Amino acid sequence: MKARLKGRPAPPQGRSVLKGRAAKGRAALAAALLAVPLSLVCLVAPADAATQLCGATDTVSVDGGEYIAQNNIWGAETPQCITVDGTSFTVDSSGHGNSTSGAPAAYPSLFKGCHWGQCTTGSGLPVQVDGDMPSVTSDWSTTVTGSGAYNVAYDLWYNTTPTTSEAPDGAEMMIWLDYQGPVQPAGTRIASGVQISGATWDVWTTQMDWRYIAYVRTGGATSVDDIDLRAFTRDAVARGSVEEDWYLIDVEAGFEIWQGGAGLTTNAFSVEVGGTTTPPTDPPTDPPTDGRACSATLRTDNSWNSGFTATVTVTNTGDEPLSGWSADWTFTGGQQVVNGWNATVTQSGSDVHAENASYNGAVPEGGSASFGFQGAGPAPGAPAVTCTAG
């Protein structure tokens, strides 16, 4: 069972202060203060100086309190130290050796929002997950290593109310940009080839103490610019992992580490929360219409003397999520469908009809789903496909 830190870290130790005999009068006290060597002032580190965190629950506020860095060793008792310098940090040392078939040892990270009641300032969070949800975008640059077992992942938390001092009771969303070693998200993969924010993702889900959904990027990336976290949220809503009346309360970015990890670095991290849209004051002249729409394309992937394989991609071109879809096309060269995957594909004469599988019918705005099939006969090329939104 996946767990997270569920309490505030211990308060920092107080600074040392000068101690001595009590002065007998105001003049003596003033003289004593003037006698303090100026060099003692240099012992106080500036607020933005690099800070090393080694305790399991150690945190430090950075960038004027807009972000908090956390060492966050939660799945092991092995040591780990990170050095934080503004919105960047490096894993200095790590003694982790967790099995890759279980939970990670730690998630050193930066966050904006509220993590188990510990909150940053001026974050713009929480925001409600509904039709007026503001844009939430992020830039993140990392440096990774070629050894160990870890991921490079966002961690977003959703709660049924705007605030909580404990574990969020809604959902956890992880967005894996990259990973090293034989690791994978919790649960089972329910979709592949999902297009969100300019990249392609596999989708995994399971049920913990909260709903869990993870997106794993195809090909991997160590940095992103303006990644659209609202688009991921809408996709999760369409899949039933997040509810529209819940609240996004926290955005985190870091490394889930199973083994090794020393040298992993966040070079820079930022989250931008935009403004909400304002509904019109006057009702529209025309009655509202169903905003669901889709398009589809067929691509031949491979062909040989007696057959071929092809992929059909369905794209949501409307302004509402799809709850289902179907695709239709006509063969002109006597081709026959032999079998299909990720959809139910049937054929009558030269006409072919395909309907979504139970796990890929939900497609968010701008998103896509794909299915494939094997056929007998000559390669069909790219026949026109009609898509119907459900």
Side-chain angles (χ1 to χ4, degrees):
M1 182 65 66
K2 194 170 186 180
R4 294 287 182 194
L5 303 178
K6 297 188 178 179
R8 290 182 180 270
Q13 298 296 319
R15 296 185 184 276
S16 60
V17 296
L18 295 174
K19 296 181 179 179
R21 295 179 180 274
K24 294 183 178 179
R26 292 182 181 273
L29 176 59
L33 292 174
L34 290 172
V36 176
L38 183 60
S39 60
L40 282 181
V41 177
C42 299
L43 295 177
V44 180
D48 58 352
T51 303
Q52 188 175 65
L53 307 177
C54 293
T57 61
D58 280 359
T59 64
V60 62
S61 295
V62 298
D63 206 19
E66 190 174 352
Y67 299 89
I68 292 176
Q70 55 182 354
N71 199 28
N72 200 4
I73 306 171
W74 65 270
E77 296 183 356
T78 39
Q80 172 183 286
C81 290
I82 67 173
T83 292
V84 182
D85 189 357
T87 57
S88 68
F89 72 86
T90 298
V91 180
D92 300 324
S93 59
S94 169
H96 305 316
N98 280 24
S99 168
T100 56
S101 62
Y107 181 60
S109 51
L110 285 152
F111 71 84
K112 187 173 192 176
C114 290
H115 175 96
W116 269 257
Q118 186 178 17
C119 300
T120 62
T121 60
S123 68
L125 300 171
V127 293
Q128 192 164 25
V129 180
D130 57 16
D132 289 330
M133 181 181 180
S135 65
V136 183
T137 59
S138 176
D139 296 341
W140 186 21
S141 169
T142 71
T143 300
V144 299
T145 65
S147 61
Y150 61 85
N151 66 23
V152 181
Y154 283 91
D155 202 2
L156 279 61
W157 292 92
Y158 302 82
N159 200 62
T160 59
T161 58
T163 61
T164 179
S165 60
E166 299 178 347
D169 60 359
E172 176 187 15
M173 177 194 294
M174 299 210 72
I175 304 172
W176 288 34
L177 301 184
D178 203 2
Y179 63 92
Q180 166 70 31
V183 296
Q184 66 183 40
T188 57
R189 183 168 55 188
I190 62 167
S192 298
V194 177
Q195 300 290 321
I196 305 177
S197 194
T200 304
W201 310 83
D202 292 343
V203 185
W204 299 65
T205 61
T206 192
Q207 179 67 45
M208 300 182 179
D209 290 341
W210 46 78
R211 299 179 193 175
Y212 173 92
I213 185 168
Y215 297 83
V216 180
R217 181 168 175 151
T218 302
T222 58
S223 64
V224 289
D225 294 321
D226 288 329
I227 188 170
D228 188 350
L229 303 180
R230 180 175 62 179
F232 285 93
T233 300
R234 287 178 170 170
D235 184 84
V237 169
R239 297 180 189 279
S241 293
V242 174
E243 302 294 334
E244 285 199 340
D245 59 351
W246 291 358
Y247 294 84
L248 172 62
I249 64 172
D250 182 30
V251 176
E252 311 185 12
F255 311 100
E256 284 191 312
I257 302 174
W258 282 260
Q259 300 168 9
L264 293 171
T265 300
T266 284
N267 302 310
F269 169 64
S270 65
V271 178
E272 181 70 26
V273 180
T276 59
T277 58
T278 303
T281 55
D282 297 323
T285 303
D286 299 323
T289 59
D290 188 344
R292 293 176 296 174
C294 63
S295 64
T297 58
L298 187 153
R299 180 190 72 239
T300 299
D301 298 319
N302 297 289
S303 62
W304 54 94
N305 290 338
S306 59
F308 61 92
T309 59
T311 297
V312 177
T313 300
V314 174
T315 301
N316 183 347
T317 58
D319 55 13
E320 291 185 9
L322 303 182
S323 58
W325 47 263
S326 63
D328 295 271
W329 67 93
T330 300
F331 284 135
T332 58
Q335 296 90 348
Q336 292 290 321
V337 173
V338 176
N339 58 66
W341 48 92
N342 293 332
T344 300
V345 185
T346 58
Q347 183 171 351
S348 176
S350 60
D351 296 328
V352 184
H353 178 74
E355 294 186 357
N356 62 272
S358 60
Y359 51 80
N360 64 357
V363 182
E365 299 171 45
S368 62
S370 60
F371 66 92
F373 66 93
Q374 178 182 347
V385 182
T386 300
C387 184
T388 302

